[in-house]
């Protein structure tokens, strides 16, 4: 680890919680830490394996492949051609729907799919940073859904109820959303610090509480429900609160992507250049050793959950003020809170890795619709590929075994040197002896 040097005589700060004990990390903690912060090569190879598995599923579900399989032994070339056509057609459609559509005229129209990828990637990047930051401190932030919903509720209330000029209205709505996400995650942090309650259980329960709390607010006139409507949905956001587009009206990419990039830069600085980030990482590596060095472990748990919730709050704000501006319902999180766990794992809990993983999953979302529309590939295959990525990331020994990579800590077998050949005189001398 890099960071400020810990001095042996560092005086411990004031106790934050009643119970600031730091037991030795369990085997599960160490295993999870290796999975979430391991070698980036495993992430890349996991994507390759998942795409290969996706290719097999695409081939098996293609009607032409199924038809030619009936006479495979008579004309095997037909089936092989059908398999190639199905797989190549699906991934070309994925590329055209996610990166660049070379079938349209003009660069401006061709690059539009990539802007859709970045739009889908925006909340994934922000939420993935919140999950990854908690991972680095040894905490499992499974509460992205609840944090997103509370951020959307706070920003939505500001965006529909206040009457402020732009950009003040937009800034207040963004700040309100970030604070709401931070406070919601901070509940889990303070319970962890004071009582030792496991953050996985607490954050999962907070997801349910947040979901039903938002449902109540959406169904209650005067809070979030649109005036004069009985539907559980907010009114449209005020124009002064909406995140502006960054590439013109013909694209849906909005300033939320810039917020996500700022969040990436901030998280990198926090973890790699600040003393607070060094304490986060020290607690994540070994809380007992960190406590011995004078770090208040409970305080770090609380603070890291505050920061993590604020980052996830950016995801909720970008969804509500940038993507769904005509009013939102209880499904505003769209599963992003749980997808963020996958993004954080694929990105190995590093800011730049999460940025790349978020864009990859954004490409899957944007290109998956194109695959389904043009090649009749079931959209569920994309979801299976994403799930397989998580499976392979969680099993690094399997990935290393498939690609023939050496296992960590494995000792190479050294060949024993062969004894020199003996000449006739030496053999005769040994016999006589």
């Amino acid at each position: 680890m890099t960071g400020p040097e810990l001095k042996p005589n560092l005086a411990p700060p004031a106790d934050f919680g009643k119970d600031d004990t730091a037991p030795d990390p369990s085997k599960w903690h160490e295993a999870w830490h290796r999975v979430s912060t391991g070698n980036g090569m495993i992430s890349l190879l996991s994507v390759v394996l998942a795409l290969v598995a996706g290719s097999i599923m695409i081939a098996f579900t293609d009607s032409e492949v199924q038809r030619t399989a009936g006479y495979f032994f008579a004309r095997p070339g037909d089936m092989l051609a059908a398999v190639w056509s199905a797989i190549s057609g699906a991934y070309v459609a994925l590329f055209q729907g996610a990166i660049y559509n070379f079938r349209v005229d003009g660069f401006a129209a061709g690059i539009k799919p990539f802007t859709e990828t970045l739009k889908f990637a925006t909340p994934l990047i922000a939420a993935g940073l919140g999950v990854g930051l908690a991972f680095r401190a040894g905490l499992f932030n499974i509460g992205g859904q609840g944090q997103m919903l509370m951020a959307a509720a706070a920003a939505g209330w500001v965006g529909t109820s206040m009457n402020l000029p732009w950009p003040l209205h937009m800034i207040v709505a963004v700040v309100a959303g970030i604070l709401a996400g931070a406070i919601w995650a901070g509940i889990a942090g303070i319970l962890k610090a004071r009582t030792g309650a496991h953050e996985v259980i607490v954050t999962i329960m907070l997801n349910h509480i947040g979901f039903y709390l938002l449902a109540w607010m959406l169904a209650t006139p005067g809070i979030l429900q649109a005036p004069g409507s009985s539907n559980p949905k907010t009114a449209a956001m005020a124009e002064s609160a909406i995140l502006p587009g960054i590439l013109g009206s013909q694209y849906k990419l909005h300033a939320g992507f810039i917020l996500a990039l700022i969040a990436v830069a901030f998280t990198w600085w926090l973890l790699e250049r600040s003393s607070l980030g060094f304490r986060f990482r020290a607690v994540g590596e070994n809380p007992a050793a960190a406590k011995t060095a004078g770090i208040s472990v409970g305080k770090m748990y609380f603070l890291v959950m505050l920061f993590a919730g604020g980052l996830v709050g950016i995801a909720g704000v970008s969804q509500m003020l940038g993507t769904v501006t005509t009013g939102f319902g209880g499904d505003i999180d769209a599963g992003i809170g749980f997808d963020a766990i996958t993004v954080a794992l694929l990105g190995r809990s590093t800011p730049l890795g999460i940025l790349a993983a978020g864009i990859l999953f954004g490409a899957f979302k944007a290109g998956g619709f194109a695959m389904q529309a043009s090649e009749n590939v079931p959209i569920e295959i994309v979801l299976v590929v994403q799930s397989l990525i998580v499976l392979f990331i969680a099993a690094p020994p399997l990935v290393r075994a498939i690609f023939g990579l050496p296992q960590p800590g494995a000792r190479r077998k050294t060949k024993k040197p062969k004894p020199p050949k003996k000449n006739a005189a030496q053999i005769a001398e040994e016999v006589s002896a």
Side-chain angles (χ1 to χ4, degrees):
M1 296 186 300
T2 59
E5 212 174 77
L6 290 176
K7 299 179 180 180
N9 61 347
L10 182 64
D15 290 339
F16 178 77
K18 296 179 181 178
D19 184 10
D20 198 24
T21 58
D24 292 334
S26 64
K27 293 182 179 179
W28 286 105
H29 178 277
E30 294 175 354
W32 184 260
H33 190 269
R34 287 195 299 269
V35 168
S36 59
T37 61
N39 189 356
M41 180 59 68
I42 299 299
S43 297
L44 179 61
L45 296 179
S46 298
V47 174
V48 173
L49 287 176
L51 291 176
V52 171
S55 301
I56 297 173
M57 289 184 289
I58 290 171
F60 270 100
T61 56
D62 185 74
S63 58
E64 184 64 17
V65 173
Q66 294 172 358
R67 186 185 69 82
T68 55
Y71 57 90
F72 173 76
F73 292 102
R75 295 171 60 183
D78 288 359
M79 181 180 171
L80 295 177
V83 168
W84 170 254
S85 178
I87 296 175
S88 61
Y91 285 129
V92 166
L94 178 67
F95 180 85
Q96 291 180 344
I99 305 298
Y100 188 84
N101 188 359
F102 48 78
R103 293 182 179 177
V104 297
D105 296 330
F107 178 79
I111 204 66
K112 188 174 182 180
F114 186 62
T115 64
E116 289 294 303
T117 292
L118 296 181
K119 183 195 74 174
F120 284 116
T122 295
L124 291 172
I125 294 169
L129 289 171
V131 175
L133 179 63
F135 282 167
R136 296 292 292 272
L139 296 179
F140 310 139
N141 183 15
I142 316 297
Q145 180 190 25
Q147 294 152 29
M148 275 192 65
L149 293 178
M150 290 300 99
W157 184 83
V158 172
T160 57
S161 302
M162 290 187 175
N163 185 17
L164 298 171
W166 190 89
L168 180 61
H169 198 180
M170 179 191 69
I171 295 174
V172 172
V174 170
V175 172
I178 294 174
L179 289 177
I183 292 171
W184 201 251
I187 297 174
I190 199 169
L191 289 175
K192 174 76 172 180
R194 289 187 176 276
T195 68
H198 203 290
E199 69 279 3
V200 172
I201 303 299
V202 175
T203 50
I204 289 176
M205 292 299 101
L206 286 173
N207 285 342
H208 289 279
I209 295 171
F211 178 80
Y212 289 108
L213 180 59
L214 178 63
W216 172 76
M217 289 189 287
L218 290 171
T220 303
I223 301 182
L224 282 179
Q225 189 179 51
S229 173
S230 59
N231 295 325
K233 186 178 179 180
T234 67
M237 299 300 109
E239 290 291 333
S240 55
I242 294 176
L243 294 169
I246 58 177
L247 292 177
S249 58
Q250 60 179 327
Y251 303 110
K252 296 181 181 179
L253 185 63
H254 50 77
F257 181 66
I258 297 178
L259 286 178
L261 293 180
I262 294 174
V264 170
F266 169 77
T267 307
W268 177 86
W269 173 85
L270 176 66
L271 285 172
E272 305 297 336
R273 291 294 182 267
S274 71
S275 60
L276 181 61
F278 173 67
R279 288 176 170 84
F280 287 165
R281 291 184 288 117
V283 170
E285 290 286 347
N286 193 321
K291 187 176 188 301
T292 303
I295 298 175
S296 175
V297 177
K299 185 177 181 180
M300 293 304 106
Y301 284 157
F302 173 67
L303 289 178
V304 78
M305 288 303 292
L306 277 182
F307 280 102
L311 291 169
V312 178
I314 295 176
V317 167
S318 67
Q319 278 287 96
M320 194 271 304
L321 296 180
T323 304
V324 187
T325 59
T326 57
F328 67 90
D331 59 347
I332 185 65
D333 72 292
I336 293 170
F338 291 103
D339 289 342
I341 301 173
T342 308
V343 171
L345 287 174
L346 181 60
R348 296 300 180 182
S349 301
T350 62
L352 294 180
I354 291 171
L355 173 63
I359 293 176
L360 175 64
F361 274 65
F364 282 153
K365 285 182 177 290
F369 298 114
M371 289 172 62
Q372 186 179 35
S374 63
E375 299 295 325
N376 294 321
V377 176
I379 192 67
E380 289 78 11
I381 288 182
V382 175
L383 301 178
V384 172
V385 169
Q386 294 177 354
S387 302
L388 286 173
I389 290 174
V390 180
L391 174 64
F392 290 126
I393 287 175
L398 174 62
V399 178
R400 293 179 183 275
I402 291 174
F403 287 95
L405 300 176
Q407 300 292 344
R411 295 181 179 178
R412 293 183 178 180
K413 295 182 179 180
T414 57
K415 294 183 179 180
K416 294 182 179 180
K418 295 182 179 180
K421 292 183 179 181
K422 300 178 180 179
N423 54 35
Q426 290 174 327
I427 294 175
E429 183 179 352
E430 289 180 0
V431 172
S432 63

